[in-house]
């Protein structure tokens, strides 16, 4: 890559004009090394959480370990068999999450998903996750639990990192 | 008394993710190594001094047989006990905070190893701030995750300091035990302008 050229390329950017249940980035270019997903969502109802799936996989092919603090307690938990990725804090006010997917196009590796997230209920989390599949990531779906929706004003941006 | 005061020598930088097309930017690739065979270390050498900060992005696995290994750094080939590390991590059941020092390496994260599920590599994102400034000791911060079914799941954040004001011109990435990083491990160095 020549000097003076940014190694981070915007791939897609969405700001919701109305409530939406699922946001999908599809046909993701395979020209990069890593993906960065920057999400600042607003939930239409409180008490639910954001989830992700890769390539539409709904099987029990995900595992995760998280660490979080809520202002009084620090704790860690894990799941070795999950049907979805976690780690997207959601509240009825704006929250923030940055998700890194390294080597997303490598077909010799399971996909690692590493994120930091926080919401206005004073919860800060770090989550590391693995999709047990060597397929290149071509789509990312983001949705809420309990079939709730993301509100207008929620933003979702996908970036490719060259290497 | 103002709520926010600035001390001499403080640096405050803010970076934004662009919404537009690719352009000359503040985040540039310096070098990438993808191992085609096992290696005891990976070195970034002759690092240009023209950036403000550095970032290492790595996907790594070693041939240790425990269930987890460490991702460590040595700067400018300094192998004396000039490094201190602070660790905050969760293992799926508890959160641990600990410190390590004085050591001859910085503990910057974790890797998977040969006891873990095949094809599972760990992510390590390491920021090295003001790496070329000769008036500061060098600090690093990292975010890492090694999700290891069949081993020890880990994720967390580290910080570290190298007690030297020398500009960083070389970074050696080393497994904590290893002895090797395995084929497919990837290490990329980026420069961040400021």
């Amino acid at each position: 890559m020549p000097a003076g050229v940014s190694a981070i390329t915007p791939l897609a950017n969405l700001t919701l004009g109305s409530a939406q249940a699922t946001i999908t980035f599809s046909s993701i270019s395979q020209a990069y090394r890593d993906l960065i997903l920057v999400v600042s969502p607003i939930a239409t109802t409180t008490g639910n959480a954001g989830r992700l799936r890769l390539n539409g996989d709904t099987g029990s092919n995900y595992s995760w370990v998280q660490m979080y603090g809520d202002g009084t307690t620090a704790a860690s938990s894990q799941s070795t068999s999950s049907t979805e990725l976690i780690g997207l804090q959601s509240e009825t006010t704006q929250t923030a999450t940055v998700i890194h997917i390294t080597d997303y196009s490598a077909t010799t590796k399971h996909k690692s998903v590493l994120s930091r997230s926080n919401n206005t209920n004073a919860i800060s989390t770090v989550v590391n996750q693995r999709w047990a599949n060597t397929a290149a990531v071509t789509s990312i779906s983001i949705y809420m639990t309990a079939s709730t929706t993301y509100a207008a004003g929620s933003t979702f941006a996908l970036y490719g990192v060259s290497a | 008394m103002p709520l926010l005061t600035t001390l001499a020598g403080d640096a405050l930088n803010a970076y934004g993710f662009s919404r537009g097309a690719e352009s000359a930017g503040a985040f540039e690739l310096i070098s990438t190594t993808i191992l085609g065979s096992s290696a005891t270390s990976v070195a970034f050498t002759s690092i240009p001094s023209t950036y403000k900060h550095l970032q290492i992005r790595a996907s790594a696995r070693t041939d240790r047989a425990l269930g987890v290994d460490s991702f460590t750094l040595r700067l400018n080939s300094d192998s004396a006990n000039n490094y201190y590390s602070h660790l905050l991590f969760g293992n799926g059941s508890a959160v641990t905070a600990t410190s390590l020092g004085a050591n001859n390496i910085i503990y910057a994260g974790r890797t998977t190893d040969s006891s873990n599920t095949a094809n599972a590599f760990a992510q390590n994102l390491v920021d090295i701030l003001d790496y070329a400034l000769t008036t500061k000791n060098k600090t690093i911060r990292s975010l890492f995750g090694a999700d290891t079914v069949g081993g020890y799941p880990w994720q967390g954040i580290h910080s570290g300091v190298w007690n030297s004001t020398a500009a960083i011109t070389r970074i050696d990435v080393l497994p904590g035990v290893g002895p090797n990083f395995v084929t497919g491990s990837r290490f990329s160095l980026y420069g961040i302008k400021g």
Side-chain angles (χ1 to χ4, degrees):
Chain A
M1 164 162 282
V5 177
S6 177
I8 294 183
T9 303
L11 300 181
N13 206 306
L14 173 65
T15 300
L16 295 185
S18 58
Q20 189 165 322
T22 302
I23 291 83
T24 300
F25 295 103
S26 59
S27 302
I28 296 173
S29 169
Q30 300 298 297
Y32 302 95
R33 180 66 61 183
D34 301 337
L35 295 174
I36 299 176
L37 184 60
V38 181
V39 181
S40 185
I42 309 168
T44 53
T45 57
T46 192
N48 295 293
R51 298 286 188 256
L52 302 95
R53 286 195 171 116
L54 304 180
N55 290 13
D57 185 0
T58 59
S60 300
N61 298 315
Y62 306 93
S63 55
W64 53 261
V65 56
Q66 68 171 341
M67 177 177 69
Y68 57 92
D70 62 7
T72 57
T73 303
S76 182
S77 60
Q78 62 168 308
S79 171
T80 58
S81 179
S82 175
T83 59
E84 55 197 0
L85 297 169
I86 68 168
L88 268 177
Q89 293 295 323
S90 296
E91 254 306 331
T92 52
T93 53
Q94 212 106 24
T95 63
T97 301
V98 178
I99 300 169
H100 300 265
I101 308 175
T102 52
D103 283 336
Y104 75 101
S105 60
T107 56
T108 56
K109 295 180 175 179
H110 289 176
K111 302 307 175 286
S112 298
V113 182
L114 185 61
S115 64
R116 292 185 69 171
S117 184
N118 61 274
N119 70 23
T120 51
N121 279 345
I123 295 177
S124 180
T125 66
V126 176
V127 188
N128 183 65
Q129 310 183 77
R130 180 167 57 89
W131 180 41
N133 195 313
T134 56
V137 174
T138 57
S139 73
I140 302 170
S141 298
I142 306 165
Y143 57 96
M144 293 280 290
T145 57
S147 299
T148 53
T149 57
Y150 288 111
S154 298
T155 62
F156 306 83
L158 183 67
Y159 300 85
V161 183
S162 301
Chain B
M1 175 118 184
L3 294 175
L4 178 66
T5 58
T6 302
L7 301 176
D10 276 6
L12 179 64
N13 302 105
Y15 300 92
F17 281 98
S18 171
R19 294 174 63 92
E22 175 182 332
S23 62
F27 189 87
E28 297 182 353
L29 174 66
I30 297 173
S31 174
T32 288
T33 297
I34 303 173
L35 295 182
S37 60
S38 295
T40 56
S41 66
V42 171
F44 296 108
T45 62
S46 301
I47 298 171
S49 61
T50 50
Y51 299 98
K52 181 70 171 174
H53 312 300
L54 299 174
Q55 183 177 95
I56 297 171
R57 303 179 67 87
S59 172
R61 181 180 175 107
T62 77
D63 53 7
R64 186 184 191 186
L66 175 68
V68 69
D69 204 343
S70 293
F71 183 92
T72 73
L73 306 178
R74 179 168 289 145
L75 307 177
N76 286 14
S77 303
D78 181 2
S79 59
N81 292 333
N82 293 320
Y83 306 90
Y84 295 77
S85 307
H86 297 87
L87 291 58
L88 176 65
F89 56 89
N91 67 355
S93 59
V95 176
T96 300
T98 188
S99 63
L100 300 170
N103 277 294
N104 60 11
I105 49 176
I106 289 179
Y107 287 86
R110 294 278 191 273
T111 75
T112 51
D113 72 11
S114 63
S115 294
N116 301 134
T117 304
N119 307 113
F121 287 69
Q123 285 197 64
N124 288 269
L125 308 175
V126 183
D127 294 316
I128 306 175
L129 309 178
D130 286 329
Y131 75 102
L133 213 58
T134 56
T135 54
K136 294 183 177 180
N137 289 342
K138 304 305 178 288
T139 56
I140 72 110
R141 65 167 202 169
S142 70
L143 174 66
F144 72 90
D147 183 38
T148 59
V149 175
Y152 300 84
W154 302 91
Q155 37 77 110
I157 55 177
H158 285 195
S159 68
V161 64
W162 176 41
N163 282 332
S164 170
T165 56
I168 295 173
T169 58
R170 177 186 177 113
I171 301 171
D172 286 274
V173 186
L174 307 154
V177 173
N180 298 293
F181 291 114
V182 301
T183 299
S185 295
R186 187 265 294 191
F187 308 84
S188 300
L189 179 68
Y190 297 85
I192 302 169
K193 295 181 178 178

